[in-house]
Short mmCIF file of all heavy atoms in Angstrom, two decimals:
data_model
loop_
_atom_site.label_atom_id
_atom_site.label_comp_id
_atom_site.label_asym_id
_atom_site.label_seq_id
_atom_site.Cartn_x
_atom_site.Cartn_y
_atom_site.Cartn_z
N GLN A 1 118.95 79.37 112.79
CA GLN A 1 119.17 80.52 113.78
C GLN A 1 120.50 81.26 113.60
O GLN A 1 121.03 81.74 114.45
CB GLN A 1 119.24 79.71 115.36
CG GLN A 1 117.91 79.22 115.70
CD GLN A 1 117.88 78.68 117.12
OE1 GLN A 1 118.97 78.30 117.70
NE2 GLN A 1 116.76 78.62 117.79
N HIS A 2 120.84 81.14 112.32
CA HIS A 2 122.05 81.96 111.93
C HIS A 2 121.83 83.42 111.54
O HIS A 2 122.68 84.17 111.43
CB HIS A 2 122.76 81.20 110.74
CG HIS A 2 123.42 79.96 110.82
ND1 HIS A 2 123.96 79.19 109.94
CD2 HIS A 2 123.64 79.35 112.11
CE1 HIS A 2 124.49 78.11 110.62
NE2 HIS A 2 124.34 78.13 111.87
N SER A 3 120.46 83.69 111.51
CA SER A 3 120.11 84.97 111.18
C SER A 3 119.09 85.58 112.25
O SER A 3 118.29 84.72 112.70
CB SER A 3 119.40 85.21 109.80
OG SER A 3 120.40 84.77 108.81
N ASP A 4 119.26 86.78 112.62
CA ASP A 4 118.28 87.44 113.43
C ASP A 4 116.85 87.39 112.77
O ASP A 4 116.69 87.70 111.55
CB ASP A 4 118.77 88.75 113.78
CG ASP A 4 117.83 89.56 114.88
OD1 ASP A 4 117.92 89.19 115.97
OD2 ASP A 4 116.88 90.25 114.37
N PRO A 5 115.75 87.27 113.58
CA PRO A 5 114.43 87.30 113.04
C PRO A 5 114.15 88.44 112.20
O PRO A 5 113.50 88.53 111.28
CB PRO A 5 113.52 86.97 114.21
CG PRO A 5 114.27 86.15 115.12
CD PRO A 5 115.79 86.65 114.98
N GLU A 6 114.59 89.55 112.78
CA GLU A 6 114.42 90.89 112.13
C GLU A 6 115.04 91.07 110.78
O GLU A 6 114.58 91.58 109.82
CB GLU A 6 114.76 92.06 113.07
CG GLU A 6 113.79 92.24 114.29
CD GLU A 6 114.10 93.63 114.96
OE1 GLU A 6 114.97 94.35 114.49
OE2 GLU A 6 113.38 93.87 116.04
N GLU A 7 116.33 90.40 110.67
CA GLU A 7 116.87 90.34 109.37
C GLU A 7 116.27 89.56 108.42
O GLU A 7 116.12 89.93 107.26
CB GLU A 7 118.42 89.78 109.63
CG GLU A 7 119.17 89.63 108.32
CD GLU A 7 120.53 88.94 108.50
OE1 GLU A 7 120.92 88.81 109.76
OE2 GLU A 7 120.95 88.48 107.48
N ILE A 8 115.65 88.38 108.96
CA ILE A 8 114.83 87.58 107.94
C ILE A 8 113.71 88.35 107.45
O ILE A 8 113.21 88.27 106.31
CB ILE A 8 114.48 86.32 108.75
CG1 ILE A 8 115.67 85.48 109.00
CG2 ILE A 8 113.39 85.44 107.87
CD1 ILE A 8 115.47 84.14 109.87
N MET A 9 113.00 89.05 108.40
CA MET A 9 111.83 89.84 108.00
C MET A 9 112.19 90.91 107.03
O MET A 9 111.42 91.15 106.03
CB MET A 9 111.22 90.43 109.25
CG MET A 9 110.21 89.45 110.14
SD MET A 9 108.84 88.96 109.10
CE MET A 9 107.97 90.50 108.73
N THR A 10 113.26 91.52 107.08
CA THR A 10 113.74 92.46 106.28
C THR A 10 114.06 91.91 104.83
O THR A 10 113.73 92.69 103.81
CB THR A 10 115.08 93.29 106.68
OG1 THR A 10 114.61 93.89 108.07
CG2 THR A 10 115.43 94.36 105.79
N ARG A 11 114.73 90.83 104.81
CA ARG A 11 114.99 90.21 103.58
C ARG A 11 113.48 89.73 102.82
O ARG A 11 113.45 89.84 101.65
CB ARG A 11 115.74 88.79 103.86
CG ARG A 11 117.28 89.07 104.03
CD ARG A 11 117.85 87.82 104.50
NE ARG A 11 119.27 87.96 104.72
CZ ARG A 11 120.22 87.53 103.92
NH1 ARG A 11 119.95 86.96 102.82
NH2 ARG A 11 121.53 87.62 104.33
N PHE A 12 112.60 89.44 103.65
CA PHE A 12 111.26 89.10 103.08
C PHE A 12 110.56 90.20 102.68
O PHE A 12 109.83 90.18 101.63
CB PHE A 12 110.44 88.34 104.12
CG PHE A 12 109.10 87.78 103.80
CD1 PHE A 12 108.93 86.96 102.75
CD2 PHE A 12 107.97 88.33 104.42
CE1 PHE A 12 107.69 86.51 102.36
CE2 PHE A 12 106.64 87.84 104.03
CZ PHE A 12 106.59 87.04 102.96
N ASN A 13 110.51 91.30 103.49
CA ASN A 13 109.79 92.58 103.16
C ASN A 13 110.48 93.65 103.83
O ASN A 13 110.35 93.91 105.03
CB ASN A 13 108.29 92.36 103.73
CG ASN A 13 107.42 93.59 103.46
OD1 ASN A 13 107.97 94.57 102.72
ND2 ASN A 13 106.29 93.74 103.99
N PRO A 14 111.18 94.46 103.03
CA PRO A 14 112.04 95.59 103.58
C PRO A 14 111.19 96.66 104.30
O PRO A 14 111.70 97.27 105.01
CB PRO A 14 112.67 96.20 102.30
CG PRO A 14 112.80 94.98 101.37
CD PRO A 14 111.48 94.14 101.64
N GLN A 15 109.88 96.73 103.97
CA GLN A 15 108.99 97.68 104.50
C GLN A 15 108.13 97.10 105.76
O GLN A 15 107.12 97.75 106.08
CB GLN A 15 107.98 98.30 103.40
CG GLN A 15 108.67 99.24 102.46
CD GLN A 15 109.44 98.57 101.44
OE1 GLN A 15 109.03 97.67 100.90
NE2 GLN A 15 110.73 99.01 101.17
N TRP A 16 108.51 96.01 106.31
CA TRP A 16 107.67 95.36 107.30
C TRP A 16 107.37 96.30 108.48
O TRP A 16 106.31 96.28 109.15
CB TRP A 16 108.21 93.92 107.64
CG TRP A 16 109.50 94.04 108.45
CD1 TRP A 16 110.75 94.06 107.89
CD2 TRP A 16 109.62 94.05 109.79
NE1 TRP A 16 111.63 93.99 108.96
CE2 TRP A 16 110.92 94.04 110.15
CE3 TRP A 16 108.76 93.96 110.89
CZ2 TRP A 16 111.52 94.01 111.53
CZ3 TRP A 16 109.22 94.01 112.22
CH2 TRP A 16 110.58 94.08 112.52
N ARG A 17 108.44 97.03 108.82
CA ARG A 17 108.22 97.82 110.00
C ARG A 17 107.17 98.96 109.95
O ARG A 17 106.39 99.04 110.78
CB ARG A 17 109.63 98.60 110.49
CG ARG A 17 110.64 97.57 111.03
CD ARG A 17 111.88 98.29 111.42
NE ARG A 17 112.80 97.51 112.07
CZ ARG A 17 113.72 96.71 111.31
NH1 ARG A 17 113.73 96.71 110.06
NH2 ARG A 17 114.50 95.90 112.04
N GLU A 18 107.00 99.57 108.66
CA GLU A 18 106.09 100.43 108.41
C GLU A 18 104.80 99.81 108.27
O GLU A 18 103.68 100.39 108.60
CB GLU A 18 106.51 101.34 107.25
CG GLU A 18 107.66 102.24 107.44
CD GLU A 18 107.47 103.29 108.50
OE1 GLU A 18 106.43 103.78 108.48
OE2 GLU A 18 108.35 103.38 109.25
N GLU A 19 104.73 98.70 107.51
CA GLU A 19 103.40 98.00 107.21
C GLU A 19 102.67 97.59 108.53
O GLU A 19 101.52 97.58 108.57
CB GLU A 19 103.64 96.95 106.31
CG GLU A 19 103.85 97.44 104.79
CD GLU A 19 104.07 96.36 103.86
OE1 GLU A 19 103.63 95.28 104.13
OE2 GLU A 19 104.55 96.49 102.72
N TYR A 20 103.44 97.08 109.50
CA TYR A 20 102.89 96.50 110.68
C TYR A 20 103.01 97.40 111.82
O TYR A 20 102.91 96.99 113.01
CB TYR A 20 103.48 95.15 110.93
CG TYR A 20 103.27 94.20 109.86
CD1 TYR A 20 104.24 93.76 108.96
CD2 TYR A 20 102.05 93.65 109.61
CE1 TYR A 20 104.00 92.89 107.94
CE2 TYR A 20 101.70 92.73 108.50
CZ TYR A 20 102.68 92.41 107.71
OH TYR A 20 102.50 91.56 106.77
N LYS A 21 103.28 98.77 111.65
CA LYS A 21 103.46 99.66 112.84
C LYS A 21 102.15 99.87 113.45
O LYS A 21 101.14 100.11 112.61
CB LYS A 21 104.05 100.93 112.27
CG LYS A 21 104.43 102.03 113.40
CD LYS A 21 105.25 103.05 112.75
CE LYS A 21 104.56 104.29 112.81
NZ LYS A 21 105.29 105.39 112.22
N SER A 22 102.12 99.84 114.68
CA SER A 22 100.83 100.11 115.32
C SER A 22 100.82 101.47 115.99
O SER A 22 101.78 102.00 116.47
CB SER A 22 100.67 99.06 116.48
OG SER A 22 99.42 99.31 117.12
N ASP A 23 99.56 102.05 116.00
CA ASP A 23 99.42 103.31 116.74
C ASP A 23 99.15 103.26 118.12
O ASP A 23 98.80 104.23 118.82
CB ASP A 23 98.27 104.10 115.99
CG ASP A 23 98.78 104.65 114.51
OD1 ASP A 23 99.95 104.74 114.27
OD2 ASP A 23 97.79 104.69 113.65
N PHE A 24 99.06 102.01 118.65
CA PHE A 24 98.68 101.76 119.92
C PHE A 24 99.73 100.92 120.68
O PHE A 24 100.53 100.17 120.08
CB PHE A 24 97.26 101.06 120.10
CG PHE A 24 96.19 101.98 119.54
CD1 PHE A 24 95.84 101.85 118.23
CD2 PHE A 24 95.54 102.85 120.43
CE1 PHE A 24 94.89 102.63 117.74
CE2 PHE A 24 94.56 103.64 119.89
CZ PHE A 24 94.11 103.52 118.55
N LYS A 25 99.74 100.82 122.00
CA LYS A 25 100.76 100.02 122.78
C LYS A 25 100.06 99.60 124.00
O LYS A 25 99.04 100.12 124.46
CB LYS A 25 101.93 100.84 123.25
CG LYS A 25 101.67 102.05 123.95
CD LYS A 25 102.88 102.84 124.38
CE LYS A 25 102.62 104.02 125.28
NZ LYS A 25 103.79 104.89 125.60
N ALA A 26 100.53 98.45 124.64
CA ALA A 26 99.91 97.98 125.86
C ALA A 26 100.85 98.53 127.01
O ALA A 26 102.04 98.49 126.89
CB ALA A 26 99.89 96.36 125.76
N VAL A 27 100.13 98.96 128.02
CA VAL A 27 100.78 99.36 129.22
C VAL A 27 100.09 98.75 130.52
O VAL A 27 99.00 98.29 130.31
CB VAL A 27 100.66 100.96 129.29
CG1 VAL A 27 101.42 101.55 128.22
CG2 VAL A 27 99.23 101.35 129.52
N ILE A 28 100.96 98.69 131.58
CA ILE A 28 100.38 98.16 132.77
C ILE A 28 99.90 99.13 133.70
O ILE A 28 100.64 100.16 134.01
CB ILE A 28 101.49 97.29 133.52
CG1 ILE A 28 101.90 96.16 132.53
CG2 ILE A 28 100.93 96.74 134.70
CD1 ILE A 28 102.96 95.31 133.13
N ALA A 29 98.61 99.21 134.05
CA ALA A 29 98.03 100.19 134.91
C ALA A 29 98.54 99.99 136.29
O ALA A 29 99.19 99.03 136.65
CB ALA A 29 96.55 100.21 134.87
N ASN A 30 98.26 100.90 137.19
CA ASN A 30 98.60 100.85 138.64
C ASN A 30 97.98 99.65 139.36
O ASN A 30 98.56 99.11 140.25
CB ASN A 30 98.22 102.11 139.36
CG ASN A 30 99.11 103.35 138.86
OD1 ASN A 30 100.03 103.18 138.43
ND2 ASN A 30 98.36 104.52 138.99
N ASP A 31 96.87 99.28 138.87
CA ASP A 31 96.24 97.97 139.58
C ASP A 31 96.69 96.60 138.93
O ASP A 31 96.34 95.63 139.35
CB ASP A 31 94.69 98.08 139.38
CG ASP A 31 94.30 98.09 137.97
OD1 ASP A 31 95.08 98.08 137.08
OD2 ASP A 31 93.01 98.20 137.80
N GLY A 32 97.68 96.88 138.19
CA GLY A 32 98.29 95.64 137.54
C GLY A 32 97.66 95.09 136.32
O GLY A 32 98.02 94.13 135.58
N SER A 33 96.55 95.72 135.83
CA SER A 33 95.78 95.32 134.63
C SER A 33 96.44 95.89 133.36
O SER A 33 97.19 97.00 133.49
CB SER A 33 94.21 95.73 134.71
OG SER A 33 94.18 97.08 134.79
N TYR A 34 96.14 95.30 132.21
CA TYR A 34 96.75 95.90 131.03
C TYR A 34 95.73 96.95 130.38
O TYR A 34 94.36 96.63 130.45
CB TYR A 34 97.02 94.76 130.00
CG TYR A 34 98.27 93.99 130.25
CD1 TYR A 34 98.24 92.85 131.10
CD2 TYR A 34 99.51 94.36 129.76
CE1 TYR A 34 99.38 92.12 131.41
CE2 TYR A 34 100.69 93.74 130.09
CZ TYR A 34 100.56 92.64 130.88
OH TYR A 34 101.79 91.93 131.20
N SER A 35 96.32 97.94 129.75
CA SER A 35 95.43 98.83 129.03
C SER A 35 96.05 99.08 127.63
O SER A 35 97.29 99.03 127.48
CB SER A 35 95.35 100.12 129.78
OG SER A 35 94.71 100.09 131.03
N ILE A 36 95.24 99.53 126.61
CA ILE A 36 95.69 99.85 125.24
C ILE A 36 95.57 101.44 125.15
O ILE A 36 94.51 101.94 125.33
CB ILE A 36 94.87 99.14 124.24
CG1 ILE A 36 94.95 97.65 124.38
CG2 ILE A 36 95.36 99.42 122.85
CD1 ILE A 36 96.27 97.04 124.33
N VAL A 37 96.72 101.93 124.96
CA VAL A 37 96.74 103.45 124.82
C VAL A 37 97.50 103.84 123.52
O VAL A 37 98.30 103.04 122.93
CB VAL A 37 97.44 104.10 125.94
CG1 VAL A 37 96.81 103.71 127.20
CG2 VAL A 37 98.93 103.71 126.06
N PRO A 38 97.27 104.88 122.95
CA PRO A 38 98.04 105.56 121.74
C PRO A 38 99.59 105.60 122.03
O PRO A 38 99.86 105.90 123.12
CB PRO A 38 97.37 106.92 121.50
CG PRO A 38 95.95 106.88 122.18
CD PRO A 38 96.10 105.96 123.39
N VAL A 39 100.32 105.24 121.12
CA VAL A 39 101.75 105.34 121.26
C VAL A 39 102.15 106.73 121.71
O VAL A 39 103.06 106.85 122.49
CB VAL A 39 102.43 104.83 119.87
CG1 VAL A 39 103.89 105.20 120.05
CG2 VAL A 39 102.12 103.39 119.69
N TYR A 40 101.52 107.69 121.10
CA TYR A 40 101.90 109.09 121.46
C TYR A 40 101.38 109.58 122.67
O TYR A 40 101.62 110.70 123.12
CB TYR A 40 101.41 110.06 120.31
CG TYR A 40 99.91 109.90 120.04
CD1 TYR A 40 99.13 110.68 120.76
CD2 TYR A 40 99.54 109.19 118.84
CE1 TYR A 40 97.76 110.51 120.47
CE2 TYR A 40 98.22 109.16 118.67
CZ TYR A 40 97.31 109.82 119.35
OH TYR A 40 95.92 109.80 119.15
N SER A 41 100.62 108.79 123.43
CA SER A 41 99.97 109.19 124.70
C SER A 41 100.93 109.62 125.71
O SER A 41 101.89 108.81 126.08
CB SER A 41 99.03 108.17 125.22
OG SER A 41 98.53 108.55 126.47
N PRO A 42 100.87 110.87 126.33
CA PRO A 42 101.83 111.24 127.29
C PRO A 42 101.45 110.93 128.70
O PRO A 42 102.13 111.03 129.73
CB PRO A 42 101.78 112.82 127.25
CG PRO A 42 100.34 113.03 126.84
CD PRO A 42 99.96 111.82 125.98
#
């Protein structure tokens, strides 16, 4: 635990953020349920 997990991932694969970037995100709807929407969704 001497290194931040993100630092370890960067040492392992400097492009990990781009390779595992998702175009979707989870949000909580008004009724409390989860929904999957595009990241760019307004």
Side-chain angles (χ1 to χ4, degrees):
Q1 298 182 333
H2 287 174
S3 295
D4 180 81
E6 291 194 359
E7 178 189 341
I8 291 173
M9 280 296 300
T10 300
R11 286 173 179 251
F12 179 63
N13 178 6
Q15 284 78 45
W16 68 272
R17 288 182 177 84
E18 290 301 317
E19 289 186 14
Y20 298 106
K21 184 167 116 179
S22 175
D23 293 328
F24 297 90
K25 63 181 178 180
V27 299
I28 302 178
N30 292 331
D31 60 2
S33 62
Y34 283 91
S35 298
I36 302 297
V37 300
V39 171
Y40 55 79
S41 175

